Amino acid sequence: MSIIVQKYGGSSVADAAQIKQVAGRIAAARDKGHRVVVVVSAMGDTTDELIKLAYQVAEHHDGRELDVLLSTGETVSSTLLAMALKNLGYAAISLSGAQAGIRTDTAFSGARIKAIDSKRLVTELEKGNIVIVAGFQGITEEMDITTLGRGGSDTTAVALAASLGAEMCKIYTDVAGVYTADPRLVPEAHPIAEISYEEMLELSTFGARVLHNRAVELGELYDIPILVAASAGGGPGTLIHGGVSMEVRNKVRGIAHDVHVAKVTIVGVPDRPGIAAAVFQPLAEAGVSVDNIVQNASIDNITDLTFTIAKGDLARAMAVVEPIAGQIGARQYLSDTNVGKISIIGTGMLNAPGYAAKMFSALSDKGINIQLITTSEIRITCIIDEAKVKEAATVLHRAFELESGE
Ligand code: ADP
Ligand code: ASP
Ligand code: MG
């Protein structure tokens, strides 16, 4: 009997009626004779609300307590889903991440799965149970509960699919698949039929939150095809897999945007060896991940250093930058939270000139100023004014003819 792994996101289980509806869909998969493992996210905006509550009681909290708090959101939805299934007459059991054997490192709020001990899960499947696993969480060697980072239930699902040897992992969400751009931002965006792991990894890393980037990483590593589709049904969804033909790859596939970005500039830095290490080493030690780094050409051995980080990391980053700026003799340091990232992604741009020029001129035609540029082999990202992100996404979607379909 084949094992299928399905994941339902928070907006698909936002209330009791939706939970009952999802239970019906799971029951239908079971009726087809599959062994079914379901990963579920917290109901609706529960995680946001729990975070808000935590900040209402204290400005600072240690990661351990916060992760236990956040993990409760998925406990609620997984138990309710199991109850709804039992009510339909199906054998079902809910398991927390820890009970499902998901072992992680100790990086609270952004833990990585180190191993999965699927014994209990397999036993429950053998007993004939539909197993509902609370997403987004795991447990350390010290038995502390961790969470995997926002959107991490997708990663739970793909990791379980890999460890159980499932043929595919199905991610059910509130949109009909992976679109050419966020459909909330660009109404002309449409679902992509299939996309490679590498393109999807860039899309999700650069803002397409429809799929957690580590889920894509695991999918590629263990060769698990991932189907993203609407939980309400209708439409084939998007298949992310390794066998996408070059023909389909041969153009810009999608636009990603991210407004959870902050820019930090250290002004008047002496241009000598060791300065970059002096800044970025302590940032890394503080757990701040830095992505776009630009160092200007120096004049009279003085330069400026600019980098971007996640908005949520700004306070932590500035606490590190403040003393270092003094130590290295920088003139001043500045931060800006009114910035956003806009990226074009596609293996088609590999070794093909012209994409960058087309992107920059499409933005400049609309008077959108580019503050920083970074690239990978299959991506070009511009940092722009946050207020211009929607317009930029729309204009790039048109410039690269994404509205015309595949
Ligand atoms: P879930 O609760 O199911 O995990 P998420 O809110 O995490 O759902 O992700 C789905 C959302 O991702 C969509 O509602 C959409 O606004 C957003 N999104 C961003 N980029 C894309 C994209 N390229 N394709 C589809 N959805 C996208
Ligand atoms: N509930 C968590 C979040 O909101 C995990 C998830 O939805 O995947 O980030
Ligand atoms: Mg999600």
Side-chain angles (χ1 to χ4, degrees), residues 7 9-11 172-175 177-179 181-184 207-210:
K7 178 257 171 179
S11 48
Y172 290 114
T173 182
D174 61 353
V175 286
V178 178
Y179 284 58
D182 186 342
R184 286 176 209 269
R209 73 158 198 271
V210 64

Side-chain angles (χ1 to χ4, degrees), residues 189-352:
H190 59 86
I192 301 167
E194 57 171 354
I195 188 164
S196 66
Y197 293 114
E198 51 182 340
E199 289 171 321
M200 191 63 226
L201 187 58
E202 294 274 6
L203 275 173
S204 19
T205 304
F206 284 81
R209 73 158 198 271
V210 64
L211 199 55
H212 198 223
N213 62 352
R214 296 227 305 281
V216 186
E217 242 171 38
L218 287 180
E220 180 165 31
L221 191 62
Y222 293 100
D223 202 13
I224 305 285
I226 304 170
L227 181 76
V228 179
S231 56
T238 302
L239 187 64
I240 299 137
H241 64 128
V244 180
S245 75
M246 274 319 274
E247 208 174 312
V248 177
R249 291 170 175 221
N250 194 23
K251 55 180 177 176
V252 171
R253 305 302 310 288
I255 313 279
H257 79 282
D258 188 354
V259 290
H260 305 287
V261 186
K263 187 177 77 171
V264 178
T265 305
I266 310 181
V267 183
V269 179
D271 190 10
R272 58 178 150 78
I275 291 290
V279 174
F280 294 114
Q281 181 72 27
L283 281 170
E285 280 162 14
V288 175
S289 113
V290 172
D291 48 16
N292 302 33
I293 303 176
V294 173
Q295 184 180 325
N296 290 344
S298 67
I299 299 171
D300 294 336
N301 282 331
I302 299 288
T303 183
D304 297 341
L305 200 57
T306 303
F307 55 91
T308 57
I309 55 175
K311 227 176 239 177
D313 284 344
L314 184 62
R316 222 160 2 124
M318 293 317 270
V320 171
V321 164
E322 192 178 347
I324 291 169
Q327 284 159 26
I328 62 177
R331 244 195 344 259
Q332 58 168 323
Y333 54 91
L334 312 160
S335 66
D336 183 357
T337 51
N338 298 319
V339 292
K341 273 184 212 166
I342 190 83
S343 307
I344 60 169
I345 287 138
T347 35
M349 66 180 76
L350 198 67
N351 299 323

